[in-house]
Amino acid sequence: MTLFEKIAARQIPADIIAEGSDWIAFRDIAPQAPVHFLVVPKRCIPRINEAQVSDEPLLGTLLSAAAATARQEGLGDSGYRIVINNGPDGGETVPHLHIHVLGARHMTWPPG
Ligand code: AMP
């Protein structure tokens, strides 16, 4: 099992803030903003580059879940950033697809 599958299965503790039948959202252990959480599919897709056409409904669910959880966290009006890191140059460290949601501070562009 991946680290995030273990979190979804409650084998590793995490600060879970929202959950659906096929996804889970929990706070990042090393937050890069005052609000920083991850939205993760319970079924492991290693990274977005390996997602299949058959994964498209789940990918849509994850984006909707990210926005709904951002609203739940009070970020709906102030705004937030959604990030998916893919592969070595993208900064991916956990090989289980996840959406970062960061907010409650102003984000700069371009990202580092
Ligand atoms: P990435 O670098 O895009 O693969 O993102 C992985 C993220 O997972 C990083 O922001 C880590 O801080 C976060 N992370 C790693 N382990 C845990 C954990 N046990 N609970 C919550 N977040 C974690």
Side-chain angles (χ1 to χ4, degrees), residues 3-4 7 12-14 26-32 36 38 84-85 90-96 98 100:
L3 171 64
F4 292 166
I7 287 175
I12 291 177
F26 52 89
R27 296 194 194 284
D28 197 292
I29 203 168
Q32 302 301 309
H36 182 182
L38 306 176
I84 298 176
N85 296 324
E92 172 199 316
T93 60
V94 177
H96 181 145
H98 48 283
H100 294 258

Side-chain angles (χ1 to χ4, degrees), residues 36-99:
H36 182 182
F37 62 87
L38 306 176
V39 180
V40 178
K42 292 182 179 177
R43 170 173 65 82
C44 179
I45 300 168
R47 57 194 57 81
I48 192 65
N49 193 53
E50 288 163 43
Q52 306 295 310
V53 169
S54 60
D55 294 321
E56 286 178 356
L58 177 58
L59 297 176
T61 296
L62 295 174
L63 269 181
S64 291
T69 308
R71 286 193 295 274
Q72 175 187 302
E73 288 293 301
L75 303 177
D77 292 332
S78 54
Y80 50 91
R81 182 165 292 172
I82 283 177
V83 173
I84 298 176
N85 296 324
N86 185 100
D89 278 357
E92 172 199 316
T93 60
V94 177
H96 181 145
L97 176 65
H98 48 283
I99 296 174

